[in-house]
Amino acid sequence: MFRTALRTVLAHKARLLMTVLAVMLGVAFVSGTLVFTDTLGNAFNKQSAKSYKDVAVSVTTYYADDQETDGKKQEPGLSPKVLDEIGAIDGVASVTPRVEGFAGVADPDGKLIGNGWSNTGTNFAPGENGKDPAYDFTEGTGPTEAGQVALDKDTASRGEYKVGGPVRVATNGPVKEYTLSGIFTTEDGAVNAGGSLVLFDPSVAQKLFLKPGYFQMANVTAAPGASDTKIRGDIESLVPKDAEVQTGKQLADQQAADIERELSGINQMLLAFAAIALFVGIFLISNTFTMLVAQRTKELALLRAVGASRRQVKRSVLAEALIVGLVASTIGFVLGVGLAVGLRSAMGQFGAKVPAGPLMITPVAVAAAFGVGVVITLIAAWLPARRAAKIPPVAAMSSVHAVATMKSLVLRNSIGAVLTLIGAAGIIAGAGVGKDGKLLIGAGAFFSLVGVIVLIPLLSRPVIALVQPLLNRLYGVAGKLAGQNAVRNPRRTGATASALAIGLTLVTGLTTVGVTLGTAIDKATTDNIKADYMITMAGGGGGLDESAVKALEKAPGVSAVSPQRASYLVIDGEDSFASGVTPGDIQQLLALKTETGSLDSLSGDAIAVASDTAKSRGWKTGDTVTVKYEDDRTARLKIGATYEPNEFTSPTLISTDLVGPHEERPHTPEVYVSMDGGATEANELALVDALGDNPAISVADQQDIRNQFGGMINTALNIMYGLLGMALIIAVLGVVNTLAMSVFERQQEIGMLRAIGLDRRRVKRMIRLEAVVISVFGALVGVGLGTFLAWAIGETIRGSIPGYVLVLPWERIGIFLVLAGLVGVLAALWPARSAAKLNMLTAIKTE
């Protein structure tokens, strides 16, 4: 029977090609994902171990604004005295102190190199030999004077900077010009992520990022034979209690765990889409084997007649599936390895450096790829194999293929209806629960999708019947035959349409949720921000310096300007987040709806609070509260106003004049500005000039603000579309496969139609229309189910998204349906051409 299965596979190579492609694509996705993440994880882990190989102990402190702990003044970092004490510990060979913060440089076009969060500045820390152990200089030397800096090799190359030349460096304050003293290479993770690293003289770095005389962290090397654990214990007794003291091995292990956790998220996301692609592939594989079994009814029945048992026939079909699965998995695994290599190279094209390292092909990746490919193929072929085993020997005497019994169709439709009802109930229940209903919706979506797929053959007849008159009217005989062919075998039509339905369900659901969120965010921006511009650090690179706020206040044409300073207060004993704003101007910049009192009171000794906060704390306008500032000083302030909660501000507003004197290093994430004449090119240029043409500072008008928030959603949607494209490609292969095998089955019929006058042009049209009808039917089912799921998901996030109202993206839905029709046309090209080329006499004689 195995030899029989092998001969059958070799005899039907063309018919099994689409099945091989479907499994191959899914396996390539799985193996490529595993090899890619294993390779990255190994490379970064080795880099991490290399970075810390000479570090015995690392000490990290957290800036404390000279707060008191246990009655003692807590220093803001590691002082020279503490560093000397660490250096004097028995077994310590050297101590390398560091202080770091945001620093960026521009490319030749004036744009920031990097993306904000990965633009770092730190100090050059030479040892007794004059070299910093963390950096290898390829040109020049490290900065030894206040007016010098050094750059990493990639940043210097991208910015076209030369040793001895000028470099404008942007920090949170004004841009300053330095002389480039040297260029170095580094294993720093931020640089490898496509960022930049600037080295300053230690005194300059301390002044920029912390406080003169203090460092944030230090790396300690040990003398030969010294115990890292003992050194760590001795250091812990010298540094503040909240300082983090770790051995180099602990640091390397922690970073390896962090890398694994981050890659795990990517891994799970890519594998989820691979699972979707394989799930869609199940329908293609099952459909293929179902049609092959139907075409070989006589052959299988004859095997039964000459003594083959049902079990042997079933094993024969499963053996075919096993061979197909092994071949497809092998090709898919090789393609997956190539995909991993391509992804690794692509990261370099986007500016992210991947550390050198071998391609990691682990036994887990190999086992997963072959296991998934073979198991999926066997599962998909099991039902056709079971049907094949039930073919009675007497069928060998008949030319009629076995058809589905009424009992089996009733059972199928009953199961489908029950599953669909259970799924729909779960989705509706999850939507009713709200934000805690996501699991219910997920389970309901699964049951609904499976139920609808089971019911699709039943649904196909009435739905296609609705368009049958249109096909008759527009395309005559070809249209009539296409409609009849589409419903002739409901199971085949259902299996083909199911693949497209799954893909369109996911695409429609994601699109509807994404468009709805984008509309809500866009409306929130338009409704709440009246300012012409929002000024921030590019890429979220930290807060703006006070000098930037003052420069904006002096810019020509500015009519109102207010920072939104992130402040921390303790009000009546409870922690509170507050926005430090400029009274009078903030009302012109943000649409703050006052409920009681007046925001003008902010110019005095008063604060304003969001109405929901006031209600929960039992406050009302006119009440006096005790406010404790960050420097532990207190004041008695009034509640001057309550306002409607606004997602662009904190629950408390306070004047910068009140909170400013108590903050040593104020944090200002954004500044809002309005100008005479509104947002114009000249006004934007005036702001850029006022900020010293700082490449690290972003000047965004209202459209830019909307794009900033909505752009993230569009980017996420585009990524999702790309990943779901794999499933849609497999769905297209399913349509091609179904039509090709349908044409093969109907050779006699097509030959007869040709003999009685149906020309080649109308034969092609008949096949194309059949494909379009099946494709659009599947798309309609997917659009309907996807919209239902989007509504339910929206109900779970409605409470956290102000102004959330479901928006149906009719234009995109229309595009999806048109694309589904186009898919049908393209999928029918080869089958239609094959049908038209059939020799009518040969076709009529074919058994």
Side-chain angles (χ1 to χ4, degrees), residues 98-404:
R98 301 281 183 204
V99 59
E100 65 179 34
F102 171 81
V105 295
D107 62 18
D109 296 326
K111 303 296 183 182
L112 184 70
I113 296 174
N115 46 28
W117 60 268
S118 62
N119 298 111
T120 309
T122 188
N123 60 288
F124 178 62
E128 294 180 358
N129 59 359
K131 295 183 179 180
D132 190 320
Y135 311 107
D136 295 321
F137 278 83
T138 57
E139 295 181 50
T141 61
T144 55
E145 299 176 8
Q148 295 180 334
V149 293
L151 295 176
D152 68 90
K153 187 177 180 180
D154 284 350
T155 300
S157 175
R158 289 158 69 184
E160 300 180 6
Y161 294 110
K162 305 295 182 184
V163 173
V167 180
R168 295 176 74 244
V169 180
T171 57
N172 292 31
V175 178
K176 292 184 180 179
E177 189 170 284
Y178 298 86
T179 299
L180 184 62
S181 66
I183 297 172
F184 59 88
T185 59
T186 176
E187 298 293 335
D188 186 276
V191 175
N192 284 319
S196 63
L197 181 61
V198 183
L199 296 184
F200 296 90
D201 177 74
S203 61
V204 174
Q206 289 173 332
K207 184 178 178 182
L208 285 172
F209 305 131
L210 189 60
K211 192 174 183 179
Y214 289 90
F215 292 93
Q216 291 167 320
M217 61 198 79
N219 289 333
V220 177
T221 57
S227 168
D228 293 355
T229 305
K230 182 179 181 304
I231 293 173
R232 184 189 66 185
D234 292 339
I235 292 174
E236 285 176 339
S237 64
L238 299 175
V239 297
K241 289 182 179 179
D242 65 346
E244 190 173 11
V245 184
Q246 296 175 286
T247 64
K249 185 177 184 309
Q250 287 176 323
L251 272 174
D253 291 344
Q254 179 183 322
Q255 193 168 72
D258 291 341
I259 291 169
E260 185 177 348
R261 185 168 55 251
E262 290 178 13
L263 290 176
S264 176
I266 299 172
N267 208 9
Q268 290 173 7
M269 182 183 72
L270 292 175
L271 288 177
F273 284 97
I276 293 169
L278 288 167
F279 185 57
V280 172
I282 286 175
F283 295 96
L284 190 159
I285 299 164
S286 180
N287 215 13
T288 300
F289 278 95
T290 297
M291 287 187 285
L292 281 175
V293 167
Q295 291 169 12
R296 292 164 51 209
T297 299
K298 287 188 177 182
E299 175 190 330
L300 295 173
L302 188 59
L303 286 173
R304 290 291 315 283
V306 297
S309 66
R310 287 188 174 187
R311 181 176 294 180
Q312 285 178 310
V313 171
K314 184 176 179 181
R315 284 177 179 174
S316 172
V317 177
L318 290 177
E320 294 175 35
L322 177 63
I323 295 167
V324 170
L326 286 171
V327 171
S329 297
T330 302
I331 300 171
F333 183 76
V334 173
L335 285 177
V337 173
L339 178 64
V341 173
L343 286 172
R344 183 173 176 175
S345 300
M347 289 184 70
Q349 300 298 319
F350 287 102
K353 289 200 310 182
V354 179
L359 195 68
M360 297 299 295
I361 302 177
T362 64
V364 173
V366 177
F370 279 87
V372 165
V374 172
V375 169
I376 288 294
T377 309
L378 289 174
I379 289 173
W382 183 79
L383 274 177
R386 187 168 173 269
R387 290 195 198 105
K390 289 184 176 182
I391 295 174
V394 73
M397 307 298 178
S398 171
S399 61
V400 180
H401 294 168
V403 296

Side-chain angles (χ1 to χ4, degrees), residues 73-93:
K73 204 75 171 176
Q74 183 176 328
E75 294 184 304
L78 300 172
S79 66
K81 178 185 175 184
V82 172
L83 291 171
D84 289 341
E85 290 174 346
I86 293 174
I89 291 173
D90 185 35
V92 171

Side-chain angles (χ1 to χ4, degrees), residues 571 576-579 592-596 599 602 607-621 639-647 649-654:
I571 305 177
S576 301
F577 291 102
S579 295
L592 297 170
K593 299 176 182 177
T594 307
E595 295 193 359
T596 62
L599 291 174
L602 289 172
I607 60 174
V609 294
S611 56
D612 57 350
T613 302
K615 183 178 180 181
S616 66
R617 304 281 288 271
W619 295 333
K620 60 181 182 297
T621 302
I639 305 292
T642 62
Y643 57 91
E644 187 177 302
N646 186 304
E647 56 268 29
T649 65
S650 299
T652 305
L653 298 179
I654 186 169

